[in-house]
Amino acid sequence: MADKPGDLIQGTLDMLILKTLALEPMHGYGISVRLEQMSKGVFRLNAGSLFVAFQRMQRAGLIKSEWKATENSRRAKYYALTDEGRKRLNSETREWGRQVAAITRILDA
């Protein structure tokens, strides 16, 4: 039986987008492709989910955007991490690690 794409754990989409943007500014499609690659195909995001997340994160001051030309000479909105976004990524990464460790202790009991 082939592995099927999984659903993201609720509340992790923003953290994963922030991590992707910590590597370099990207357009929405690039973020989607990068997350799929880094998860080895486990996570596949649809454009609608990303669009809503981008809007929410921009309102919160976590990311900023600007229109630029892509590698294919098309215009796309590129997103970049703000200082506030970097702080949020660091705090969410620490909290995620704490929760994963706790769940692992429970499952290993």
Side-chain angles (χ1 to χ4, degrees):
M1 174 186 238
D3 291 339
K4 68 177 185 75
D7 292 330
L8 285 175
I9 296 170
Q10 187 171 356
T12 60
L13 178 58
D14 291 4
M15 179 177 61
L16 297 177
I17 291 171
L18 291 173
K19 177 58 181 177
T20 303
L21 292 176
L23 303 172
E24 65 180 308
M26 293 184 162
H27 52 73
Y29 179 73
I31 292 168
S32 177
V33 169
R34 176 72 57 93
L35 287 173
E36 186 174 340
Q37 288 172 341
M38 291 191 309
S39 72
K40 298 188 186 229
V42 172
F43 300 136
R44 293 192 184 146
L45 305 172
N46 68 51
S49 298
L50 283 175
F51 180 74
V52 171
F54 293 149
Q55 287 184 319
R56 178 179 60 248
M57 294 168 72
Q58 278 193 283
R59 281 193 308 269
L62 304 176
I63 62 174
K64 58 187 176 183
S65 65
E66 69 175 308
W67 288 95
K68 292 168 49 171
T70 66
E71 311 80 44
N72 302 330
S73 299
R74 293 184 167 177
R75 286 181 45 81
K77 192 179 272 192
Y78 276 72
Y79 298 91
L81 207 55
T82 63
D83 289 341
E84 187 61 33
R86 193 167 304 284
K87 289 178 194 171
R88 176 76 61 87
L89 174 60
N90 290 335
S91 69
E92 286 190 16
T93 300
R94 280 192 306 277
E95 179 59 21
W96 179 253
R98 191 178 75 79
Q99 290 180 10
V100 166
I103 292 168
T104 300
R105 285 191 301 272
I106 293 166
L107 293 176
D108 289 345

mmCIF file of all heavy atoms in Angstrom, residues 47-89:
data_model
loop_
_atom_site.group_PDB
_atom_site.id
_atom_site.type_symbol
_atom_site.label_atom_id
_atom_site.label_comp_id
_atom_site.label_asym_id
_atom_site.label_seq_id
_atom_site.Cartn_x
_atom_site.Cartn_y
_atom_site.Cartn_z
ATOM 1 N N ALA A 47 -3.431 25.613 -2.338
ATOM 2 C CA ALA A 47 -3.239 27.058 -2.446
ATOM 3 C C ALA A 47 -4.167 27.829 -1.512
ATOM 4 O O ALA A 47 -3.784 28.852 -0.943
ATOM 5 C CB ALA A 47 -3.442 27.507 -3.892
ATOM 6 N N GLY A 48 -5.379 27.339 -1.323
ATOM 7 C CA GLY A 48 -6.339 28.023 -0.459
ATOM 8 C C GLY A 48 -5.865 28.102 0.983
ATOM 9 O O GLY A 48 -5.970 29.138 1.627
ATOM 10 N N SER A 49 -5.329 27.003 1.497
ATOM 11 C CA SER A 49 -4.813 26.987 2.866
ATOM 12 C C SER A 49 -3.653 27.956 3.018
ATOM 13 O O SER A 49 -3.551 28.675 4.010
ATOM 14 C CB SER A 49 -4.332 25.583 3.249
ATOM 15 O OG SER A 49 -5.382 24.666 3.223
ATOM 16 N N LEU A 50 -2.774 27.959 2.030
ATOM 17 C CA LEU A 50 -1.615 28.864 2.087
ATOM 18 C C LEU A 50 -2.055 30.322 2.030
ATOM 19 O O LEU A 50 -1.555 31.157 2.792
ATOM 20 C CB LEU A 50 -0.651 28.571 0.942
ATOM 21 C CG LEU A 50 0.222 27.342 1.108
ATOM 22 C CD1 LEU A 50 1.035 27.115 -0.155
ATOM 23 C CD2 LEU A 50 1.132 27.470 2.312
ATOM 24 N N PHE A 51 -2.993 30.633 1.143
ATOM 25 C CA PHE A 51 -3.438 32.012 0.981
ATOM 26 C C PHE A 51 -4.006 32.561 2.284
ATOM 27 O O PHE A 51 -3.666 33.667 2.708
ATOM 28 C CB PHE A 51 -4.478 32.098 -0.141
ATOM 29 C CG PHE A 51 -4.987 33.485 -0.383
ATOM 30 C CD1 PHE A 51 -4.199 34.419 -1.022
ATOM 31 C CD2 PHE A 51 -6.256 33.854 0.037
ATOM 32 C CE1 PHE A 51 -4.665 35.712 -1.239
ATOM 33 C CE2 PHE A 51 -6.726 35.139 -0.175
ATOM 34 C CZ PHE A 51 -5.930 36.071 -0.807
ATOM 35 N N VAL A 52 -4.840 31.778 2.938
ATOM 36 C CA VAL A 52 -5.433 32.205 4.213
ATOM 37 C C VAL A 52 -4.339 32.376 5.263
ATOM 38 O O VAL A 52 -4.329 33.349 6.022
ATOM 39 C CB VAL A 52 -6.510 31.192 4.676
ATOM 40 C CG1 VAL A 52 -6.971 31.491 6.090
ATOM 41 C CG2 VAL A 52 -7.681 31.199 3.720
ATOM 42 N N ALA A 53 -3.394 31.445 5.302
ATOM 43 C CA ALA A 53 -2.296 31.533 6.271
ATOM 44 C C ALA A 53 -1.442 32.778 6.007
ATOM 45 O O ALA A 53 -1.063 33.483 6.946
ATOM 46 C CB ALA A 53 -1.432 30.273 6.213
ATOM 47 N N PHE A 54 -1.143 33.065 4.737
ATOM 48 C CA PHE A 54 -0.339 34.255 4.412
ATOM 49 C C PHE A 54 -1.036 35.524 4.886
ATOM 50 O O PHE A 54 -0.400 36.412 5.453
ATOM 51 C CB PHE A 54 -0.070 34.358 2.905
ATOM 52 C CG PHE A 54 0.810 33.268 2.352
ATOM 53 C CD1 PHE A 54 0.646 32.843 1.046
ATOM 54 C CD2 PHE A 54 1.806 32.673 3.110
ATOM 55 C CE1 PHE A 54 1.456 31.854 0.514
ATOM 56 C CE2 PHE A 54 2.622 31.681 2.586
ATOM 57 C CZ PHE A 54 2.447 31.262 1.284
ATOM 58 N N GLN A 55 -2.334 35.616 4.630
ATOM 59 C CA GLN A 55 -3.077 36.806 5.062
ATOM 60 C C GLN A 55 -3.031 36.956 6.579
ATOM 61 O O GLN A 55 -2.772 38.042 7.100
ATOM 62 C CB GLN A 55 -4.530 36.723 4.597
ATOM 63 C CG GLN A 55 -4.705 36.937 3.118
ATOM 64 C CD GLN A 55 -6.172 36.942 2.738
ATOM 65 O OE1 GLN A 55 -6.968 36.155 3.235
ATOM 66 N NE2 GLN A 55 -6.528 37.848 1.844
ATOM 67 N N ARG A 56 -3.284 35.869 7.282
ATOM 68 C CA ARG A 56 -3.282 35.881 8.748
ATOM 69 C C ARG A 56 -1.900 36.281 9.286
ATOM 70 O O ARG A 56 -1.776 37.104 10.187
ATOM 71 C CB ARG A 56 -3.693 34.498 9.261
ATOM 72 C CG ARG A 56 -3.682 34.339 10.752
ATOM 73 C CD ARG A 56 -4.121 32.951 11.201
ATOM 74 N NE ARG A 56 -3.264 31.880 10.679
ATOM 75 C CZ ARG A 56 -3.634 30.972 9.789
ATOM 76 N NH1 ARG A 56 -4.855 30.983 9.299
ATOM 77 N NH2 ARG A 56 -2.804 30.045 9.392
ATOM 78 N N MET A 57 -0.861 35.729 8.694
ATOM 79 C CA MET A 57 0.496 35.983 9.168
ATOM 80 C C MET A 57 0.954 37.406 8.834
ATOM 81 O O MET A 57 1.686 38.013 9.611
ATOM 82 C CB MET A 57 1.442 34.937 8.586
ATOM 83 C CG MET A 57 1.131 33.539 9.121
ATOM 84 S SD MET A 57 1.971 32.222 8.225
ATOM 85 C CE MET A 57 3.632 32.487 8.808
ATOM 86 N N GLN A 58 0.497 37.941 7.708
ATOM 87 C CA GLN A 58 0.832 39.332 7.384
ATOM 88 C C GLN A 58 0.145 40.287 8.351
ATOM 89 O O GLN A 58 0.769 41.245 8.816
ATOM 90 C CB GLN A 58 0.440 39.671 5.936
ATOM 91 C CG GLN A 58 1.485 39.216 4.952
ATOM 92 C CD GLN A 58 1.267 39.823 3.583
ATOM 93 O OE1 GLN A 58 0.394 39.399 2.837
ATOM 94 N NE2 GLN A 58 2.058 40.823 3.267
ATOM 95 N N ARG A 59 -1.122 40.036 8.649
ATOM 96 C CA ARG A 59 -1.840 40.879 9.611
ATOM 97 C C ARG A 59 -1.155 40.867 10.973
ATOM 98 O O ARG A 59 -1.147 41.868 11.677
ATOM 99 C CB ARG A 59 -3.293 40.432 9.750
ATOM 100 C CG ARG A 59 -4.196 40.902 8.635
ATOM 101 C CD ARG A 59 -5.668 40.710 8.966
ATOM 102 N NE ARG A 59 -5.996 39.357 9.381
ATOM 103 C CZ ARG A 59 -6.389 38.372 8.574
ATOM 104 N NH1 ARG A 59 -6.516 38.592 7.286
ATOM 105 N NH2 ARG A 59 -6.673 37.175 9.044
ATOM 106 N N ALA A 60 -0.590 39.728 11.348
ATOM 107 C CA ALA A 60 0.084 39.590 12.639
ATOM 108 C C ALA A 60 1.503 40.148 12.619
ATOM 109 O O ALA A 60 2.173 40.171 13.651
ATOM 110 C CB ALA A 60 0.107 38.120 13.057
ATOM 111 N N GLY A 61 1.970 40.582 11.434
ATOM 112 C CA GLY A 61 3.315 41.145 11.327
ATOM 113 C C GLY A 61 4.429 40.111 11.329
ATOM 114 O O GLY A 61 5.588 40.438 11.554
ATOM 115 N N LEU A 62 4.097 38.843 11.026
ATOM 116 C CA LEU A 62 5.091 37.773 11.035
ATOM 117 C C LEU A 62 5.835 37.655 9.717
ATOM 118 O O LEU A 62 6.978 37.197 9.678
ATOM 119 C CB LEU A 62 4.427 36.435 11.367
ATOM 120 C CG LEU A 62 3.649 36.387 12.683
ATOM 121 C CD1 LEU A 62 2.953 35.039 12.840
ATOM 122 C CD2 LEU A 62 4.564 36.687 13.850
ATOM 123 N N ILE A 63 5.157 38.050 8.636
ATOM 124 C CA ILE A 63 5.767 38.013 7.306
ATOM 125 C C ILE A 63 5.428 39.306 6.576
ATOM 126 O O ILE A 63 4.483 40.007 6.931
ATOM 127 C CB ILE A 63 5.302 36.790 6.472
ATOM 128 C CG1 ILE A 63 3.793 36.824 6.225
ATOM 129 C CG2 ILE A 63 5.729 35.486 7.120
ATOM 130 C CD1 ILE A 63 3.285 35.726 5.283
ATOM 131 N N LYS A 64 6.230 39.602 5.566
ATOM 132 C CA LYS A 64 5.960 40.732 4.686
ATOM 133 C C LYS A 64 6.019 40.203 3.261
ATOM 134 O O LYS A 64 6.541 39.107 3.017
ATOM 135 C CB LYS A 64 6.967 41.859 4.909
ATOM 136 C CG LYS A 64 8.402 41.448 4.702
ATOM 137 C CD LYS A 64 9.358 42.544 5.103
ATOM 138 C CE LYS A 64 10.794 42.034 4.955
ATOM 139 N NZ LYS A 64 11.764 43.010 5.398
ATOM 140 N N SER A 65 5.472 40.969 2.320
ATOM 141 C CA SER A 65 5.454 40.490 0.941
ATOM 142 C C SER A 65 5.780 41.614 -0.024
ATOM 143 O O SER A 65 5.622 42.793 0.294
ATOM 144 C CB SER A 65 4.085 39.898 0.601
ATOM 145 O OG SER A 65 3.098 40.903 0.637
ATOM 146 N N GLU A 66 6.248 41.210 -1.201
ATOM 147 C CA GLU A 66 6.466 42.140 -2.305
ATOM 148 C C GLU A 66 6.382 41.369 -3.615
ATOM 149 O O GLU A 66 6.680 40.184 -3.670
ATOM 150 C CB GLU A 66 7.805 42.866 -2.178
ATOM 151 C CG GLU A 66 9.027 41.997 -2.379
ATOM 152 C CD GLU A 66 10.320 42.797 -2.361
ATOM 153 O OE1 GLU A 66 10.424 43.795 -3.097
ATOM 154 O OE2 GLU A 66 11.215 42.410 -1.612
ATOM 155 N N TRP A 67 5.935 42.069 -4.657
ATOM 156 C CA TRP A 67 5.834 41.473 -5.980
ATOM 157 C C TRP A 67 7.205 41.501 -6.634
ATOM 158 O O TRP A 67 7.882 42.520 -6.634
ATOM 159 C CB TRP A 67 4.829 42.230 -6.834
ATOM 160 C CG TRP A 67 3.424 41.993 -6.397
ATOM 161 C CD1 TRP A 67 2.682 42.760 -5.556
ATOM 162 C CD2 TRP A 67 2.594 40.894 -6.763
ATOM 163 N NE1 TRP A 67 1.440 42.218 -5.376
ATOM 164 C CE2 TRP A 67 1.358 41.065 -6.102
ATOM 165 C CE3 TRP A 67 2.764 39.779 -7.581
ATOM 166 C CZ2 TRP A 67 0.308 40.161 -6.247
ATOM 167 C CZ3 TRP A 67 1.714 38.883 -7.721
ATOM 168 C CH2 TRP A 67 0.504 39.086 -7.065
ATOM 169 N N LYS A 68 7.607 40.343 -7.177
ATOM 170 C CA LYS A 68 8.898 40.227 -7.869
ATOM 171 C C LYS A 68 8.742 39.258 -9.037
ATOM 172 O O LYS A 68 7.769 38.513 -9.108
ATOM 173 C CB LYS A 68 9.977 39.687 -6.922
ATOM 174 C CG LYS A 68 10.334 40.648 -5.816
ATOM 175 C CD LYS A 68 11.170 40.109 -4.682
ATOM 176 C CE LYS A 68 12.385 39.343 -4.928
ATOM 177 N NZ LYS A 68 13.182 39.069 -3.726
ATOM 178 N N ALA A 69 9.734 39.245 -9.898
ATOM 179 C CA ALA A 69 9.749 38.299 -11.012
ATOM 180 C C ALA A 69 10.256 36.947 -10.525
ATOM 181 O O ALA A 69 11.184 36.871 -9.728
ATOM 182 C CB ALA A 69 10.641 38.808 -12.131
ATOM 183 N N THR A 70 9.625 35.876 -11.024
ATOM 184 C CA THR A 70 10.046 34.518 -10.675
ATOM 185 C C THR A 70 11.180 34.086 -11.600
ATOM 186 O O THR A 70 11.580 34.832 -12.504
ATOM 187 C CB THR A 70 8.887 33.522 -10.826
ATOM 188 O OG1 THR A 70 8.536 33.432 -12.212
ATOM 189 C CG2 THR A 70 7.689 33.938 -9.992
ATOM 190 N N GLU A 71 11.632 32.865 -11.388
ATOM 191 C CA GLU A 71 12.668 32.285 -12.256
ATOM 192 C C GLU A 71 12.187 32.198 -13.701
ATOM 193 O O GLU A 71 12.982 32.198 -14.633
ATOM 194 C CB GLU A 71 13.046 30.871 -11.776
ATOM 195 C CG GLU A 71 13.344 30.729 -10.303
ATOM 196 C CD GLU A 71 12.083 30.634 -9.434
ATOM 197 O OE1 GLU A 71 11.126 29.912 -9.764
ATOM 198 O OE2 GLU A 71 12.066 31.323 -8.404
ATOM 199 N N ASN A 72 10.862 32.116 -13.903
ATOM 200 C CA ASN A 72 10.267 32.003 -15.243
ATOM 201 C C ASN A 72 9.817 33.353 -15.794
ATOM 202 O O ASN A 72 9.011 33.403 -16.716
ATOM 203 C CB ASN A 72 9.057 31.061 -15.201
ATOM 204 C CG ASN A 72 9.426 29.690 -14.708
ATOM 205 O OD1 ASN A 72 10.542 29.235 -14.897
ATOM 206 N ND2 ASN A 72 8.500 29.018 -14.063
ATOM 207 N N SER A 73 10.297 34.429 -15.206
ATOM 208 C CA SER A 73 9.957 35.798 -15.619
ATOM 209 C C SER A 73 8.475 36.124 -15.471
ATOM 210 O O SER A 73 7.944 36.947 -16.199
ATOM 211 C CB SER A 73 10.410 36.055 -17.058
ATOM 212 O OG SER A 73 11.803 35.906 -17.155
ATOM 213 N N ARG A 74 7.811 35.469 -14.543
ATOM 214 C CA ARG A 74 6.429 35.813 -14.204
ATOM 215 C C ARG A 74 6.446 36.599 -12.907
ATOM 216 O O ARG A 74 7.386 36.513 -12.129
ATOM 217 C CB ARG A 74 5.591 34.550 -14.008
ATOM 218 C CG ARG A 74 5.408 33.780 -15.286
ATOM 219 C CD ARG A 74 4.497 32.625 -15.044
ATOM 220 N NE ARG A 74 4.068 32.060 -16.318
ATOM 221 C CZ ARG A 74 3.323 31.006 -16.419
ATOM 222 N NH1 ARG A 74 2.908 30.360 -15.348
ATOM 223 N NH2 ARG A 74 2.967 30.560 -17.592
ATOM 224 N N ARG A 75 5.389 37.346 -12.678
ATOM 225 C CA ARG A 75 5.306 38.095 -11.413
ATOM 226 C C ARG A 75 4.626 37.242 -10.355
ATOM 227 O O ARG A 75 3.635 36.576 -10.637
ATOM 228 C CB ARG A 75 4.538 39.395 -11.616
ATOM 229 C CG ARG A 75 5.353 40.428 -12.368
ATOM 230 C CD ARG A 75 4.643 41.741 -12.580
ATOM 231 N NE ARG A 75 3.937 42.303 -11.454
ATOM 232 C CZ ARG A 75 4.486 42.996 -10.449
ATOM 233 N NH1 ARG A 75 5.766 43.187 -10.437
ATOM 234 N NH2 ARG A 75 3.739 43.500 -9.490
ATOM 235 N N ALA A 76 5.189 37.266 -9.157
ATOM 236 C CA ALA A 76 4.605 36.524 -8.038
ATOM 237 C C ALA A 76 4.868 37.296 -6.756
ATOM 238 O O ALA A 76 5.820 38.075 -6.673
ATOM 239 C CB ALA A 76 5.212 35.128 -7.944
ATOM 240 N N LYS A 77 4.015 37.073 -5.798
ATOM 241 C CA LYS A 77 4.199 37.707 -4.502
ATOM 242 C C LYS A 77 5.176 36.856 -3.696
ATOM 243 O O LYS A 77 4.936 35.680 -3.456
ATOM 244 C CB LYS A 77 2.875 37.836 -3.765
ATOM 245 C CG LYS A 77 2.951 38.730 -2.542
ATOM 246 C CD LYS A 77 1.618 38.860 -1.849
ATOM 247 C CE LYS A 77 0.840 40.002 -2.451
ATOM 248 N NZ LYS A 77 -0.338 40.358 -1.622
ATOM 249 N N TYR A 78 6.293 37.466 -3.321
ATOM 250 C CA TYR A 78 7.300 36.793 -2.509
ATOM 251 C C TYR A 78 7.098 37.179 -1.054
ATOM 252 O O TYR A 78 6.838 38.337 -0.733
ATOM 253 C CB TYR A 78 8.710 37.194 -2.949
ATOM 254 C CG TYR A 78 9.217 36.376 -4.112
ATOM 255 C CD1 TYR A 78 8.702 36.546 -5.392
ATOM 256 C CD2 TYR A 78 10.211 35.430 -3.931
ATOM 257 C CE1 TYR A 78 9.162 35.804 -6.463
ATOM 258 C CE2 TYR A 78 10.685 34.678 -4.989
ATOM 259 C CZ TYR A 78 10.159 34.868 -6.250
ATOM 260 O OH TYR A 78 10.615 34.115 -7.294
ATOM 261 N N TYR A 79 7.236 36.195 -0.190
ATOM 262 C CA TYR A 79 7.058 36.401 1.240
ATOM 263 C C TYR A 79 8.406 36.278 1.940
ATOM 264 O O TYR A 79 9.243 35.468 1.546
ATOM 265 C CB TYR A 79 6.083 35.367 1.807
ATOM 266 C CG TYR A 79 4.718 35.488 1.189
ATOM 267 C CD1 TYR A 79 4.371 34.762 0.060
ATOM 268 C CD2 TYR A 79 3.774 36.369 1.714
ATOM 269 C CE1 TYR A 79 3.115 34.890 -0.527
ATOM 270 C CE2 TYR A 79 2.520 36.506 1.135
ATOM 271 C CZ TYR A 79 2.215 35.765 0.021
ATOM 272 O OH TYR A 79 0.981 35.901 -0.550
ATOM 273 N N ALA A 80 8.584 37.092 2.982
ATOM 274 C CA ALA A 80 9.818 37.061 3.763
ATOM 275 C C ALA A 80 9.469 37.165 5.242
ATOM 276 O O ALA A 80 8.450 37.755 5.621
ATOM 277 C CB ALA A 80 10.736 38.209 3.351
ATOM 278 N N LEU A 81 10.315 36.604 6.053
ATOM 279 C CA LEU A 81 10.151 36.626 7.499
ATOM 280 C C LEU A 81 10.477 38.014 8.040
ATOM 281 O O LEU A 81 11.431 38.653 7.590
ATOM 282 C CB LEU A 81 11.134 35.611 8.076
ATOM 283 C CG LEU A 81 10.861 34.940 9.391
ATOM 284 C CD1 LEU A 81 9.518 34.261 9.390
ATOM 285 C CD2 LEU A 81 11.952 33.928 9.682
ATOM 286 N N THR A 82 9.714 38.481 9.001
ATOM 287 C CA THR A 82 10.027 39.728 9.712
ATOM 288 C C THR A 82 10.755 39.354 11.002
ATOM 289 O O THR A 82 10.836 38.176 11.371
ATOM 290 C CB THR A 82 8.746 40.509 10.064
ATOM 291 O OG1 THR A 82 7.971 39.709 10.960
ATOM 292 C CG2 THR A 82 7.931 40.858 8.823
ATOM 293 N N ASP A 83 11.267 40.348 11.701
ATOM 294 C CA ASP A 83 11.897 40.083 12.998
ATOM 295 C C ASP A 83 10.906 39.440 13.955
ATOM 296 O O ASP A 83 11.240 38.514 14.698
ATOM 297 C CB ASP A 83 12.454 41.375 13.610
ATOM 298 C CG ASP A 83 13.678 41.888 12.864
ATOM 299 O OD1 ASP A 83 14.316 41.099 12.133
ATOM 300 O OD2 ASP A 83 13.991 43.084 13.017
ATOM 301 N N GLU A 84 9.659 39.923 13.921
ATOM 302 C CA GLU A 84 8.613 39.354 14.772
ATOM 303 C C GLU A 84 8.339 37.897 14.381
ATOM 304 O O GLU A 84 8.113 37.041 15.240
ATOM 305 C CB GLU A 84 7.327 40.184 14.676
ATOM 306 C CG GLU A 84 6.256 39.774 15.641
ATOM 307 C CD GLU A 84 6.659 39.907 17.105
ATOM 308 O OE1 GLU A 84 7.419 40.816 17.453
ATOM 309 O OE2 GLU A 84 6.190 39.071 17.901
ATOM 310 N N GLY A 85 8.375 37.613 13.087
ATOM 311 C CA GLY A 85 8.179 36.245 12.609
ATOM 312 C C GLY A 85 9.292 35.327 13.077
ATOM 313 O O GLY A 85 9.048 34.172 13.448
ATOM 314 N N ARG A 86 10.516 35.827 13.080
ATOM 315 C CA ARG A 86 11.659 35.028 13.542
ATOM 316 C C ARG A 86 11.511 34.707 15.041
ATOM 317 O O ARG A 86 11.758 33.590 15.484
ATOM 318 C CB ARG A 86 12.967 35.769 13.272
ATOM 319 C CG ARG A 86 14.188 34.893 13.426
ATOM 320 C CD ARG A 86 15.436 35.546 12.861
ATOM 321 N NE ARG A 86 15.333 35.953 11.473
ATOM 322 C CZ ARG A 86 15.393 35.139 10.425
ATOM 323 N NH1 ARG A 86 15.531 33.850 10.608
ATOM 324 N NH2 ARG A 86 15.311 35.604 9.199
ATOM 325 N N LYS A 87 11.078 35.702 15.814
ATOM 326 C CA LYS A 87 10.854 35.477 17.256
ATOM 327 C C LYS A 87 9.768 34.422 17.461
ATOM 328 O O LYS A 87 9.903 33.535 18.302
ATOM 329 C CB LYS A 87 10.440 36.782 17.948
ATOM 330 C CG LYS A 87 11.553 37.783 18.079
ATOM 331 C CD LYS A 87 11.021 39.059 18.723
ATOM 332 C CE LYS A 87 12.002 40.188 18.558
ATOM 333 N NZ LYS A 87 11.417 41.470 18.989
ATOM 334 N N ARG A 88 8.682 34.538 16.695
ATOM 335 C CA ARG A 88 7.577 33.574 16.820
ATOM 336 C C ARG A 88 8.050 32.176 16.445
ATOM 337 O O ARG A 88 7.712 31.205 17.112
ATOM 338 C CB ARG A 88 6.411 34.003 15.936
ATOM 339 C CG ARG A 88 5.244 33.052 15.892
ATOM 340 C CD ARG A 88 4.348 33.075 17.128
ATOM 341 N NE ARG A 88 3.748 34.356 17.336
ATOM 342 C CZ ARG A 88 2.603 34.764 16.794
ATOM 343 N NH1 ARG A 88 1.912 33.954 16.010
ATOM 344 N NH2 ARG A 88 2.135 35.961 17.046
ATOM 345 N N LEU A 89 8.827 32.076 15.367
ATOM 346 C CA LEU A 89 9.349 30.773 14.952
ATOM 347 C C LEU A 89 10.181 30.157 16.069
ATOM 348 O O LEU A 89 10.022 28.978 16.391
ATOM 349 C CB LEU A 89 10.182 30.899 13.676
ATOM 350 C CG LEU A 89 10.899 29.625 13.227
ATOM 351 C CD1 LEU A 89 9.912 28.498 12.951
ATOM 352 C CD2 LEU A 89 11.764 29.926 12.015
#
